């Protein structure tokens, strides 16, 4: 399906004007970057460049797409779009890489005509996926090695849910409840049942008393164990958590895989459930908690006997994952640097490259951004790693996205931050960005 109309009208009106006055074919460089990090964030995580490159392959104007723009575009512009395919070059930070203010996350080179009409597509993908990955990375850090499951599909747009699961996986989550993410990207699918399954097994006497509740709950648990085995996870808080745990072990035995708690004071309840499971001989049964968790709630539960966290709303909505604030700006025309000078919305002119400078220990000291082709000297004793990689050459993708490599890069990035860079409290970016101007 064409992705060409995943754009804004003003991009095509600029195209039309540029074609009319002959400037459309001037060689340009556009860059995507964030002027600042969202309030309270100390680093960002790149995700979505692979999805953007995939979408670029479908950025063509078929008959339906052309019909959708025919009422406001002249014949010259329609003819240009009818044969359009991006033929330029794109470099960018690999998925899983950290970014900071002014990091040139994406660099798009080609004619003005072919670069300008990619703005909305690039930003809609990057702003969404980088926001999710950045929020997920904070949760991974807070979880300190415990399992994290992305469960946000029911809290966002159906296609955004798939992208969110992918971004969370890059950032270190262990899996997602979303099956489309498993099919498209290989994200492990995790999850068992909801309260509805227990309520489905209500007997003719309803659930008015404890005996009826226990009977219906045991029937539901037995059905789930019969279908999925004793390694399954049973949801124990439909009625009474203490009774639910007892019923779960009575049905599945002490080798039950896990119990899930979705309500109450999770810290207090987790401790009570752990003691009860141990007393029942289910010492290896894991405890999964869910219910409006964010990185702060996860951090608060760090001392409790919780084995796994299910995260949904706070990961996929704006309150938990504020937009990455990426912008897409023209920085060079025919080799000449150009830049905005607007107050608080300025840009740095010229095509750029960047280095991640670190101590011999691997701890990052700064992000160094400099004019392309003019790498500055690095202080003796420090190491410097180029950050951008080729993504597209002459319109063709370079390689294929490797989400396993992205996960590994993300993990290494977190361990390379200065010690205070992982704090959840508000503060300055964990790493300063130094922009070197052209002389």
């Amino acid at each position: 399906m064409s992705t060409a109309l995943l754009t804004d009208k003003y991009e095509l009106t600029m195209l039309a004007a540029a074609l009319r006055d002959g400037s459309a074919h001037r060689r340009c460089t556009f860059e995507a970057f964030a002027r600042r990090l969202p309030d309270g964030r100390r680093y960002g995580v790149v995700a979505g460049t692979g999805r953007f490159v995939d979408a670029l392959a479908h950025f063509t104007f078929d008959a339906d797409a052309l019909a959708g723009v025919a009422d406001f575009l002249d014949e010259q512009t329609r003819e240009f779009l009818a044969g359009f395919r991006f033929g330029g070059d794109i470099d960018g930070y690999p998925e899983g890489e950290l970014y900071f203010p002014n990091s040139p996350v994406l660099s798009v080179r080609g004619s003005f005509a072919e670069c300008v009409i990619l703005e909305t597509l690039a930003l809609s993908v990057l702003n969404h996926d980088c926001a999710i990955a950045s929020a997920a990375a904070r949760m991974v850090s807070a979880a300190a090695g415990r399992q994290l499951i992305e469960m946000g599909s029911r809290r966002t747009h159906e296609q955004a849910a798939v992208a969110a699961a992918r971004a969370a996986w890059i950032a270190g989550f262990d899996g997602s409840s979303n099956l489309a993410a498993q099919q498209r990207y290989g994200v492990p699918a995790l999850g068992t049942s909801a309260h509805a399954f227990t309520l489905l097994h209500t007997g003719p006497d309803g659930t008015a008393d404890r005996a009826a509740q226990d009977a219906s709950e045991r029937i539901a648990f037995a059905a789930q164990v019969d279908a999925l085995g004793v390694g399954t996870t049973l949801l124990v808080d439909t009625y009474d958590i203490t009774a639910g745990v007892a019923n779960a072990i009575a049905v599945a035995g002490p080798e039950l895989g896990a119990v899930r708690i979705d309500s109450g004071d999770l810290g207090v309840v987790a401790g009570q459930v752990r003691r009860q499971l141990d007393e029942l001989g289910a010492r290896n049964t894991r405890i999964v908690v869910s219910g409006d968790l964010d990185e702060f709630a996860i951090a608060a539960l760090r001392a409790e006997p919780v084995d796994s966290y299910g995260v949904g709303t706070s990961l996929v909505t704006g309150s938990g994952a504020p937009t990455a604030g990426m912008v897409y700006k023209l920085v060079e025309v025919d080799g000449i640097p150009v830049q905005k000078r607007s107050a608080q919305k300025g840009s740095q002119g010229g095509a750029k490259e960047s280095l991640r400078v670190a101590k011999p220990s691997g701890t990052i000291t700064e992000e160094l951004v400099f004019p392309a082709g003019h790498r500055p000297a690095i202080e003796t004793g420090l190491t410097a790693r180029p950050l951008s990689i080729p993504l597209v050459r002459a319109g063709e993708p370079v390689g294929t996205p490797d989400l396993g490599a992205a996960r590994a890069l993300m993990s290494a990035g977190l361990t390379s931050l200065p010690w205070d860079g992982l704090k959840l409290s508000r503060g300055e970016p964990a790493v300063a960005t130094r922009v070197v101007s052209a002389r």
Side-chain angles (χ1 to χ4, degrees):
M1 184 174 65
S2 172
T3 58
L5 294 186
L6 298 177
T7 190
D8 290 311
K9 182 176 179 178
Y10 86 115
E11 292 170 12
L12 299 189
T13 58
M14 284 191 288
L15 171 65
L19 288 170
R20 179 69 63 89
D21 74 3
S23 61
H25 302 293
R26 298 187 71 178
R27 307 307 295 175
C28 293
T29 299
F30 283 78
E31 289 178 348
F33 60 94
R35 292 189 178 95
R36 61 192 65 85
L37 297 176
D39 185 38
R41 299 300 170 87
R42 295 171 180 253
Y43 59 87
V45 178
V46 175
T49 52
R51 286 208 312 118
F52 170 63
V53 172
D54 287 344
L56 186 62
H58 303 285
F59 198 91
T60 57
F61 287 79
D62 56 20
D64 288 342
L66 287 172
V69 298
D71 63 332
F72 66 89
L73 292 180
D74 58 32
E75 182 178 357
Q76 180 187 20
T77 307
R78 296 198 303 271
E79 288 179 357
F80 175 87
L81 293 176
F84 176 78
R85 284 193 69 90
F86 179 75
D89 298 336
I90 301 176
D91 292 333
Y93 283 29
E95 295 188 285
E97 187 67 86
L98 302 180
Y99 72 87
F100 302 94
N102 296 308
S103 295
V105 171
L106 199 72
S107 179
V108 183
R109 299 182 299 279
S111 69
F112 177 82
E114 61 186 340
C115 294
V116 73
I117 61 177
L118 299 182
E119 176 184 1
T120 299
L121 180 65
L123 291 182
S124 62
V125 172
L126 289 177
N127 273 321
H128 176 269
D129 289 23
C130 291
I132 300 295
S134 300
R138 287 162 59 88
M139 296 175 190
V140 169
S141 179
R146 298 179 187 180
Q147 185 186 56
L148 283 162
I149 307 169
E150 187 278 318
M151 297 178 170
S153 295
R154 291 165 290 171
R155 299 293 186 265
T156 188
H157 184 277
E158 67 273 11
Q159 294 303 323
V162 185
R166 181 185 185 276
W169 170 248
I170 286 173
F173 269 53
D174 295 278
S176 170
S177 62
N178 191 283
L179 291 177
Q182 180 188 45
Q183 181 188 46
R184 293 186 202 174
Y185 305 117
V187 178
L190 302 172
T192 51
S193 66
H195 296 104
F197 186 71
T198 299
L199 294 171
L200 170 67
H201 292 80
T202 300
D205 297 329
T207 56
D209 57 45
R210 176 63 57 80
Q213 292 173 7
D214 287 347
S216 65
E217 193 167 53
R218 290 191 184 202
I219 293 170
F221 288 168
Q224 184 173 324
V225 170
D226 183 57
L228 303 176
V230 296
T232 191
T233 299
L234 297 178
L235 181 58
V236 296
D237 68 344
T238 303
Y239 304 118
D240 176 84
I241 294 176
T242 301
V245 171
N247 290 330
I249 301 305
V251 169
E255 298 307 313
L256 174 64
V259 295
R260 180 161 75 95
I261 309 164
D262 192 51
S263 59
D265 186 326
L266 295 177
V268 173
V269 173
Q272 295 172 343
V273 168
R274 182 73 270 162
R275 288 190 292 273
Q276 185 181 5
L277 288 170
D278 291 348
E279 290 169 358
L280 294 170
R283 297 184 178 277
N284 295 322
T285 298
R286 300 167 66 251
I287 297 176
V288 181
V289 298
S290 57
D292 296 326
L293 295 175
D294 60 13
E295 61 266 46
F296 301 104
I298 291 169
L301 291 168
R302 193 176 293 168
E304 305 300 336
V306 174
D307 300 290
S308 182
Y309 305 93
V311 184
T313 303
S314 63
L315 183 60
V316 302
T317 63
S319 59
T323 179
M326 294 279 179
V327 294
Y328 183 89
K329 297 300 177 186
L330 177 63
V331 297
E332 193 169 275
V333 179
D334 292 334
I336 302 170
V338 297
Q339 64 189 61
K340 282 182 63 176
R341 299 184 183 277
S342 307
Q344 299 182 343
K345 282 195 172 184
S347 60
Q348 193 76 24
K352 303 170 200 66
E353 298 177 42
S354 57
L355 296 171
R356 183 73 44 80
V357 182
K359 299 176 182 178
S361 63
T363 302
I364 304 169
T365 61
E366 68 176 353
E367 183 104 333
L368 183 57
V369 179
F370 56 93
H374 298 277
R375 175 172 172 157
I378 303 301
E379 182 181 334
T380 302
L382 299 179
T383 63
R385 176 172 62 87
L387 294 171
S388 290
I389 61 171
L391 297 174
V392 175
R393 287 292 180 268
E396 296 298 324
V398 177
T400 56
D402 184 342
L403 298 193
R407 282 170 61 84
L409 184 61
M410 173 66 241
S411 178
L414 290 182
T415 61
S416 68
L417 286 174
W419 69 270
D420 60 344
L422 296 177
K423 287 182 177 180
L424 300 181
S425 57
R426 283 177 165 78
E428 296 298 315
V431 173
T433 307
R434 180 160 62 98
V435 181
V436 179
S437 301
R439 296 186 178 182

